[in-house]
Amino acid sequence: MTLSAAQHLSAPAGIAVTGAPGPRFDEILTPEALDFVAALQRRFNATRTELLARRAARQVEFDAGALPDFLPETAAVRAGDWTIAPLPADLLDRRVEITGPVDRKMIVNALNSGARVFMADFEDASAPTWTNMIEGQLNLKDRWAGAIDFTDATSGKSYRLGPNPAVLIIRPRGWHLPEAHVLVDGEEMSGSLFDFGLYAFHNAKAALAQGSGPYFYLPKTESHLEARLWNEVFTFAEQQLGLAHGTIKATVLIETLPAVFEMDEILFELKDHAAGLNLGRWDYIFSFIKRLGKNARFLTPDRGRMVMSEAFLKAYCLLLVETCHRRNAFAMGGMAAQIPVKGDAAANAAAFAKVKADKEREAGLGCDGTWVAHPDLVPVALEVFDRLMPKANQRDAVRAPSGVTRDDLLEMHQGTRTEAGLRENIRVGVQYIEAWLRGRGAVPLYNLMEDAATAEISRAQVWQWIHLKATLDDGRTVTADLFKALLDDEMAKLRDVLGAAAYDAGRFPEAIALFAGMSLADTFEEFLTLPAYRLIA
């Protein structure tokens, strides 16, 4: 791929682009595109900040002992006999979706993987450096322009888009994340509105012309009011871009504890734009700890004991499928984070068997599709859903009511807390943050593809165990001193494994300081990516 020299970026009045220019960045950051995203910011950012303040207010209530519940004021919505609007043809079979960051190689490989859908991720699988975000937009624009093919300058390998590429769905950053490199009237832009706006502006009509459309995944939603805001954004964007109402379609990740009590309401707010809900299970575990982490009733066991077939995770799955199908929406399964284990046939077979069992569980529950993180796992998941879901989806399957209650959704997983579990949180959390600071958002660690949710679970669980003085299975209490000793030991071992030169060349001091500081803080930080972003912005 040959890139032209960057031109000087000319921003309209009231807009300042402080990010460094790069090759072809002017193709994305045109005056017209900047005007469009600025219009989104000016119209919707005040509501966004109000909703983030509402999250903080609810957290105060949770910290004082309140528990989430279904909302009495929206009982009529839950009882109503409504459905979402019809869906376009290319969203009717989503049996396997692959996810990953927005680098060029990933996009081509994912579109060619045989999966029905590729979720191009500006969020948890991408470190939001300025270059990553703008190059990602360029890559997606090139996809719709038929110019995504390229030859890797290092390896000489050619990457070409095949004849039947996966349907493209974009995940913008969550409502909480800013884009520090664009100021609108002196204020940092919303990362959500920036990512959504640039993609929709440059690609909505091109995607429609090629038989698809502007499709999105919405992360970190906490309430139906946040879904309402997205619906207002979509409607405004359609008006501004000359698109028919309802053209934009969105699948909402149910990956926060408050959202699971408002799934009907979330679909209702988005019903003209909704495509379905997704089981964002790793972030869901993080959210569960975050929202209820000060309550000793919800002290978590080792993360490996929190499995989808038990306790609050099982209830969450059952209710999501039931809710979606009642509303004619898609119920999408969760991520299989396993990746091929090279050089170990037995370990590789075991990993693939775990994926198969997980997908059989999801298909059996009624999910209309699922997620994988690696192209080699697409055939594994496809075989399961082809066998157990012969039709395009299961939205019309009649199943007995789940009977899931508020108490079921709050049932704690059982199991021990171990030193091994504490060490795993330290190893994985620090290594992921270090890679993220170097610009990598999807990181293979210990035969799993990890994203930001992994580090969030790791530091949240360490924080909770220290804060609640958890007892390990050997009788020791988890204290700040124990954590510090294990952290020092794990980092010394990691330096030996990686080699002193590689370790010292990385950003481990910053990653260790961030992970330790957040794990030991008196107050739980809402997202680690917020302070981490200031280290890369």
Side-chain angles (χ1 to χ4, degrees):
M1 176 178 59
T2 301
L3 299 176
S4 63
Q7 302 296 314
H8 176 70
L9 297 175
S10 177
I15 305 169
V17 178
T18 64
R24 298 180 58 204
F25 282 19
D26 56 305
E27 295 180 32
I28 295 298
L29 301 168
T30 65
E32 296 79 9
L34 289 172
D35 263 336
F36 178 69
V37 297
L40 295 175
Q41 176 79 0
R42 288 166 176 148
R43 190 178 185 95
F44 299 109
N45 193 57
T47 303
R48 179 185 76 94
T49 56
E50 289 170 6
L51 291 170
L52 293 177
R54 186 176 182 272
R55 289 185 187 180
R58 290 196 77 187
Q59 187 61 51
V60 172
E61 296 173 358
F62 293 144
D63 288 346
L67 298 176
D69 203 347
F70 299 99
L71 302 177
E73 62 268 31
T74 55
V77 173
R78 294 193 298 278
D81 190 24
W82 51 271
T83 61
I84 66 168
L87 295 173
D90 64 340
L91 286 181
L92 295 179
D93 187 337
R94 300 171 60 179
R95 63 189 58 225
V96 177
E97 301 186 345
I98 189 169
T99 75
V102 290
D103 63 89
R104 204 169 185 90
K105 178 180 175 182
M106 177 69 203
I107 290 172
V108 176
N109 285 342
L111 291 173
N112 289 340
S113 68
R116 296 292 194 271
V117 170
F118 167 47
M119 187 197 77
D121 191 10
F122 285 92
E123 204 229 5
D124 274 1
S126 293
T129 66
W130 176 244
T131 297
N132 283 352
M133 297 296 95
I134 304 304
E135 286 186 351
Q137 293 283 353
L138 274 166
N139 293 334
L140 296 173
K141 185 173 183 286
D142 283 349
R143 182 267 175 269
W144 291 116
I148 190 68
D149 298 352
F150 76 105
T151 299
D152 188 284
T154 302
S155 67
K157 183 177 179 180
S158 294
Y159 293 83
R160 300 286 182 265
L161 192 63
N164 296 299
V167 175
L168 189 57
I169 301 182
I170 309 305
R171 180 161 70 168
R173 282 169 280 183
W175 281 132
H176 60 289
L177 288 168
E179 178 43 71
H181 303 92
V182 178
L183 305 179
V184 177
D185 304 327
E187 185 176 48
E188 286 183 349
M189 245 212 99
S190 158
S192 300
L193 297 176
F194 184 75
D195 299 341
F196 161 78
L198 287 179
Y199 180 78
F201 181 86
H202 288 295
N203 302 293
K205 290 182 178 178
L208 289 164
Q210 295 175 54
S212 190
Y215 306 147
F216 297 89
Y217 258 109
L218 306 181
K220 306 295 189 292
T221 300
E222 296 250 344
S223 72
H224 71 285
L225 298 179
E226 295 182 15
R228 179 182 297 171
L229 177 58
W230 270 120
N231 195 68
E232 292 170 355
V233 169
F234 294 158
T235 299
F236 178 79
E238 287 166 341
Q239 293 168 349
Q240 295 298 304
L241 297 175
L243 306 176
H245 180 70
T247 296
I248 295 170
K249 297 298 182 184
T251 304
V252 181
L253 290 121
I254 301 300
E255 54 186 354
T256 70
L257 180 61
V260 81
F261 292 92
E262 301 184 36
M263 290 191 290
D264 273 306
E265 294 90 331
I266 287 168
L267 287 173
F268 182 79
E269 294 292 345
L270 283 160
K271 62 180 182 295
D272 288 347
H273 295 108
L277 305 176
N278 172 278
L279 289 160
R281 52 193 181 186
W282 307 120
D283 269 297
Y284 191 76
I285 294 171
F286 161 57
S287 177
F288 198 103
I289 300 171
K290 174 167 63 176
R291 295 298 174 226
L292 303 180
K294 288 188 175 181
N295 190 326
R297 171 183 164 186
F298 301 106
L299 181 60
T300 52
D302 281 357
R303 58 185 288 185
R305 284 292 302 118
M306 292 186 281
V307 296
M308 299 302 293
S309 58
E310 298 176 9
F312 69 76
L313 289 174
K314 178 181 179 181
Y316 149 68
C317 291
L318 291 171
L319 186 59
L320 184 144
V321 173
E322 180 179 38
T323 302
C324 286
H325 288 177
R326 186 181 176 202
R327 308 306 181 187
N328 206 30
F330 275 74
M332 299 303 300
M335 170 66 79
Q338 287 81 5
I339 57 177
V341 184
K342 296 180 180 179
D344 189 333
N348 191 64
F352 278 45
K354 285 183 180 180
V355 174
K356 180 180 179 181
D358 183 53
K359 302 315 167 191
E360 288 176 337
R361 177 191 57 79
E362 289 180 332
L365 287 175
C367 289
D368 301 292
T370 192
W371 278 15
V372 297
H374 195 282
D376 286 356
L377 291 170
V378 170
V380 179
L382 272 176
E383 185 280 326
V384 171
F385 273 84
D386 287 347
R387 171 165 43 90
L388 299 179
M389 191 181 78
K391 297 197 299 182
N393 56 69
Q394 303 188 72
R395 291 185 299 167
D396 60 353
V398 177
R399 299 175 186 272
S402 69
V404 169
T405 66
R406 195 273 293 267
D407 288 344
D408 294 328
L409 291 167
L410 298 178
E411 181 186 352
M412 197 60 231
H413 289 254
Q414 300 302 306
T416 58
R417 285 161 289 279
T418 67
E419 179 183 316
L422 186 54
R423 284 180 177 273
E424 180 184 14
N425 282 331
I426 292 169
R427 278 196 308 274
V428 172
V430 172
Q431 287 185 86
Y432 179 82
I433 293 171
E434 191 276 333
W436 194 91
L437 294 175
R438 288 187 288 107
R440 296 177 59 208
V443 184
L445 293 171
Y446 309 108
N447 301 323
L448 296 174
M449 186 63 73
E450 309 286 11
D451 68 9
T454 296
E456 293 284 29
I457 294 172
S458 296
R459 64 99 180 182
Q461 189 162 64
V462 171
W463 183 92
Q464 186 195 40
W465 288 8
I466 294 172
H467 187 83
L468 294 179
K469 299 179 173 60
T471 301
L472 298 179
D473 62 344
D474 60 11
R476 286 178 295 164
T477 300
V478 180
T479 64
D481 287 341
L482 176 60
F483 164 71
K484 292 174 185 176
L486 295 181
L487 175 63
D488 289 344
D489 187 54
E490 285 296 326
M491 293 304 99
K493 291 177 178 176
L494 182 61
R495 191 169 188 268
D496 288 341
V497 170
L498 297 179
Y503 183 92
D504 294 343
R507 298 187 69 171
F508 282 100
E510 294 162 285
I512 292 167
L514 183 60
F515 186 82
M518 298 183 80
S519 298
L520 296 169
D522 292 334
T523 302
F524 189 85
E525 179 75 39
E526 183 78 352
F527 291 97
L528 75 81
T529 46
L530 289 171
Y533 183 56
R534 299 305 166 183
L535 298 176
I536 64 172

